[in-house]
């Protein structure tokens, strides 16, 4: 004798409820994963936008710096030849980035021309107006807005002096 045994109605209901619960849990997990992936993608996009904006700003800053250097270079008069007999002073500029610049100036040139010269060479990464030229000992600060000539501020013919660019 063969009997066909099937699950009871209660068992079928229980199994169906369990399958539905598992399906809901799987759907919830899938939605959570999608939401997490979407948030991660948005974060990556935001980071890329920030980096692009920073790169754009750096490029604009570099272009502006080059423009300023070109403008300042046009303001600087030509350097005296090495065999010149005119009274002059030789100045060394120590830049914040460790570089050094050297140049001969006429004594009748204005203090502003020293600033223009440093700005035309990049001023060691400092923007025009954000530094001042300083002799270390005895300490003497040279203001860029001074209309005085190098001779009027006390520099003499044949002197060799070292200036520091001091961030303000």
């Amino acid at each position: 004798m063969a009997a066909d045994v099937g699950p009871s109605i209660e068992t079928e209901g229980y199994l169906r409820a369990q399958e539905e619960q598992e399906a809901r849990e799987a759907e919830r997990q899938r939605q959570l994963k999608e939401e997490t992936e979407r948030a991660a993608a948005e974060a990556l996009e935001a980071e890329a936008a920030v980096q692009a904006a920073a790169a754009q700003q750096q490029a604009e800053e570099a272009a502006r710096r080059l423009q300023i250097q070109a403008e300042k270079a046009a303001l600087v008069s030509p350097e005296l030849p090495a065999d010149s007999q005119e009274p002059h002073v030789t100045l060394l500029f120590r830049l914040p980035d460790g570089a050094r610049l050297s140049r001969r100036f006429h004594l009748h040139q204005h203090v502003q021309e020293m600033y223009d010269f440093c700005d035309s060479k990049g001023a060691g990464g400092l923007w025009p107006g954000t530094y001042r030229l300083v002799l270390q000992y005895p300490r003497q600060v040279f203001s860029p807005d001074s209309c005085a000539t190098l001779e009027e501020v006390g520099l003499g013919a044949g002197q060799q002096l070292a200036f520091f660019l001091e961030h303000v």
Side-chain angles (χ1 to χ4, degrees):
M1 162 159 168
D4 210 7
V5 179
S8 69
I9 294 177
E10 290 176 357
T11 305
E12 284 181 10
Y14 172 76
L15 291 174
R16 193 174 318 116
Q18 189 175 4
E19 288 173 358
E20 289 173 359
Q21 177 66 26
E22 290 172 357
R24 281 194 301 272
E25 181 62 25
E27 179 64 20
R28 191 180 69 73
Q29 291 293 331
R30 185 189 61 77
Q31 289 175 348
L32 184 62
K33 182 179 177 183
E34 285 178 1
E35 188 176 307
T36 304
E37 289 173 352
R38 186 174 38 255
E42 289 173 359
L44 284 175
E45 287 177 12
E47 178 69 23
V50 167
Q51 288 178 352
Q56 174 75 17
Q57 184 178 4
Q58 285 178 341
E60 289 172 1
E61 185 177 305
R64 178 72 181 130
R65 194 176 291 273
L66 288 174
Q67 180 184 4
I68 289 171
Q69 287 178 356
E71 290 170 0
K72 294 294 185 171
L75 296 174
V76 177
S77 57
E79 186 174 4
L80 286 170
D83 59 355
S84 174
Q85 298 301 318
E86 295 184 46
H88 67 278
V89 61
T90 303
L91 303 178
L92 174 75
F93 300 94
R94 295 185 180 177
L95 308 180
D97 64 0
R100 295 176 182 202
L101 303 171
S102 180
R103 187 174 192 274
R104 289 182 299 282
F105 287 88
H106 288 278
L107 289 177
H108 68 273
Q109 287 180 280
H110 294 277
V111 171
Q112 179 62 46
E113 289 194 51
M114 293 189 310
Y115 280 89
D116 291 341
F117 171 71
C118 290
D119 291 339
S120 73
K121 303 298 183 184
L126 297 175
W127 285 95
T130 63
Y131 67 92
R132 56 187 170 194
L133 294 173
V134 178
L135 283 176
Q136 190 170 11
Y137 187 80
R139 182 171 171 80
Q140 187 176 1
V141 178
F142 292 82
S143 174
D145 54 359
S146 170
C147 295
T149 64
L150 299 180
E151 189 172 31
E152 292 170 348
V153 295
L155 303 185
Q159 280 186 314
Q160 295 181 353
L161 301 168
F163 283 87
F164 292 88
L165 274 71
E166 182 178 87
H167 188 65
V168 202

